[in-house]
Amino acid sequence: MKDHLLIATAYNNEARIYVSYTKTLVEKARKIHKTWPTATAALGRLLTAASMMSFFNKDESSLTLRIDGDGPIGWLLAESNAQGEVRGNVDKPDVYLKYNDSNKLAVGLAIGNGHLTIIRNPHLKNAYSSTVELITSEIAEDLTYYFSSSEQVPSSVGLGVLVNEDTSIKHAGGFIIQLLPQATEETIIQIEGALQKLTSVTNFFDNNKSTNELLTLLANGTENILEKHELKYHCECTKKYFSNLLQKLDITALETIIKEDKKAEIICQYCKKVYNFTEKELTEIVTKKQP
Ligand code: ZN
């Protein structure tokens, strides 16, 4: 199954459901950032959530989800756009913690206490952000809390990353159910019933079930698919982008780099691609800055 997203209305237009499968993009994130299983699960859940949330308002250019915790992982970052492209990063990738009782990857412990911040249009002048405190630090519950408290959209969120023995990804995916203002009590009860039938998103996929089948379960068969999108891990960085960043440094800092290092090496935090700037290129940047 290729990475993709389904968007549907359900329950006679009283709910909107997003269902995604994200194994390949989470696997790519794992390889780029060399994450250990618990960090893989945390970053994978955040990327999966971001991949769905960027389709909420398509007039937005992109969306950033940021988690800052006091646990061993530190911070996590996921950015997505309405082209289905996501990228992310994690502060400390080498975290492998499990809960003793369930043997599950201990994402909540690894993140610890802290905050979840959602930034809309992060690269534009009209960027705006809102921050909530983390509730369980398992990410899905924290987003549920964010949607109800900051956006006043009652939602159910499920996110899952299943890691193989060899630490590669077996399955990854998730769903977001949004209750629309006209939702009746009866619909809410039906959704709660549907959620009880689902043990976990990754168990569902591990039983050879598809996203369409997950959607049917969540919608109790009332779904009406509106859109399908491909999802992928993609970083849009370019040398020009980093050249512009260098241009924002002050002249003294640039001149120090030229004098001491005679070159600059910049590594993109999202894809780890290395960009080299020669002495000549750096000098040109300084020249452009001079009035
Ligand atoms: Zn990049």
Side-chain angles (χ1 to χ4, degrees), residues 3-27:
D3 287 0
H4 67 276
L5 164 71
L6 300 176
I7 306 175
T9 58
Y11 300 99
N12 196 25
N13 257 335
E14 292 176 30
R16 185 167 283 245
I17 306 181
Y18 299 77
V19 173
S20 67
Y21 190 75
T22 56
K23 173 187 167 173
T24 307
L25 71 87
V26 176
E27 175 67 9

Side-chain angles (χ1 to χ4, degrees), residues 87 234-238 242 268-273 275:
R87 56 182 191 171
H234 175 76
C235 184
E236 58 194 7
C237 66
T238 56
F242 289 106
C268 174
Q269 66 158 332
Y270 293 107
C271 66
K272 304 288 175 194
K273 199 169 163 187
Y275 291 93

